Amino acid sequence: MKRCKPNEPCWCGSGRKYKKCHLAHDVMASLRGDEVPVSQGLRPGQISPRRPVPATIPAPSYALDGRPPRKQLGTLYKPPEQIAAMRAACAIARRILDEVCAAVAVGVTTDSLDALAHARCLELGVYPSPLNYSGFPKSICTSINEVICHGIPDDRPLADGDIVNVDVTVFHQGMHGDCSRTVAVGTIDQASQQLIAVTEQALAAGIQAVVPGAPVSAIGAAIEQVVRPYGYGVVRDFVGHGIGEVFHMDPQVPHYHDRRASFILRPGMTFTIEPMINQGDHRHRLWSDNWTAVTVDGRRSAQCEHTVLVTDNGVEVLTAAPDAGP
Ligand code: MF3
Ligand code: CO
Ligand code: CO
């Protein structure tokens, strides 16, 4: 049943030799009688040429040189004008996210989702933040099945039963707004439905834990409480992040309980909460593209993300749906 020879590159796309990568895992799986995840294993596809952005759209500095600004350049406590701009950027990000998620269907390629997101950004006059961020080649991230995050849109058609996270970030009025969610392609199995539902509950619990005066660690503690009964793995290597003029800045927001995250939440702070929840092992491996983060065991991962503002008495979800209540 094994597709690769020991010295060939592993089927998972890690770029490592099969014998150093999934060989032992596949042998154990076949001894157990499990289906070896060879045919299901996602592989890198073709990435289309870079989509241009007209010079009339205000772009962050890395659009030119690929180098993110120093995160110290971001304002920790945003003044009212910046908060207004964040609200506007986040509303546009959410609108595009909803449109792209509505276009997810069997047979649709993630590259065509990228094309849609890119076109909508230009129509709405915003820069798609991922594009050329540390050299990222596309305008959104699309993370399928065992991809934890930072999947690059490519020419693979979505298949019935897949799950896909769509992550949209835009730069508008000098500020970034960032949100994502995981959606079903066609009909998904019950285990995947539960994984997505629990991930959404985890994000909701993380948001509820945002109270001025509380430490950042309260967020991860709340998320872990939701996830623990299911035995899922909470990803530790990727965290939520402060956001504003700078895409990724302080504070770091772990999604597990980390008592070192003692930073105190104060009004005016804006950051993301974006738990990545794995069916199995919480650890990741990177594909040789240096972006695509996949689970080490090939099992699935779900994620959802909001950008939030700490207010005087709680939290405002800046990327909430426009018709969400008060
Ligand atoms: N939107 C992702 C996040 O939630 C970051 C994508 S950065 C990219 O933080 F370069 F991969 F696009
Ligand atoms: Co994001
Ligand atoms: Co984010």
Side-chain angles (χ1 to χ4, degrees), residues 167-169 178-180 241 247 274 305:
D167 193 334
V168 174
T169 314
D178 189 3
C179 52
S180 87
H241 50 93
F247 192 170
E274 47 182 299
E305 171 175 30

Side-chain angles (χ1 to χ4, degrees), residues 50-95:
R50 180 165 163 175
R51 298 192 158 90
V53 178
T56 49
I57 292 183
S61 59
Y62 61 78
L64 288 177
D65 61 16
R67 292 208 308 272
R70 300 209 332 265
K71 53 184 193 167
Q72 291 81 357
L73 294 176
T75 312
L76 207 46
Y77 307 101
K78 270 79 175 171
E81 318 80 69
Q82 284 196 335
I83 290 174
M86 287 289 298
R87 283 200 185 97
C90 287
I92 294 172
R94 176 57 189 261
R95 179 170 168 186

Side-chain angles (χ1 to χ4, degrees), residues 193-209 219-230 232 273 275 277 302-306:
Q193 288 174 32
Q194 181 183 274
L195 178 68
I196 294 172
V198 172
T199 303
E200 285 169 357
Q201 287 164 29
L203 173 56
I207 292 169
Q208 274 189 23
I219 297 168
I223 289 170
E224 273 198 336
Q225 281 229 14
V226 168
V227 173
R228 188 172 302 116
Y230 298 90
Y232 294 146
I273 307 175
I277 307 297
Q303 179 180 25
C304 48
E305 171 175 30
H306 275 305

Side-chain angles (χ1 to χ4, degrees), residues 9-128:
C10 186
W11 54 262
C12 77
S14 65
R16 298 168 50 179
K17 286 184 179 168
Y18 182 51
K19 68 181 181 195
K20 297 255 177 197
C21 196
H22 272 88
L23 176 62
H25 169 270
D26 288 353
V27 169
M28 291 308 292
S30 61
L31 288 175
R32 283 195 309 266
D34 295 0
E35 207 175 306
V36 179
V38 164
S39 53
Q40 296 115 291
L42 206 71
R43 292 153 159 278
Q46 281 290 325
I47 298 168
S48 65
R50 180 165 163 175
R51 298 192 158 90
V53 178
T56 49
I57 292 183
S61 59
Y62 61 78
L64 288 177
D65 61 16
R67 292 208 308 272
R70 300 209 332 265
K71 53 184 193 167
Q72 291 81 357
L73 294 176
T75 312
L76 207 46
Y77 307 101
K78 270 79 175 171
E81 318 80 69
Q82 284 196 335
I83 290 174
M86 287 289 298
R87 283 200 185 97
C90 287
I92 294 172
R94 176 57 189 261
R95 179 170 168 186
I96 297 173
L97 176 65
D98 288 350
E99 291 177 6
V100 174
C101 287
V104 166
V106 175
V108 167
T109 67
T110 47
D111 184 63
S112 71
L113 298 177
D114 182 76
L116 170 63
H118 188 87
R120 293 297 288 138
C121 282
L122 304 198
E123 282 162 12
L124 297 167
V126 302
Y127 183 88

Side-chain angles (χ1 to χ4, degrees), residues 148-165:
I148 295 171
C149 62
H150 303 162
I152 303 173
D154 65 20
D155 66 349
R156 176 188 177 279
L158 292 168
D160 190 35
D162 284 347
I163 61 172
V164 60
N165 173 274

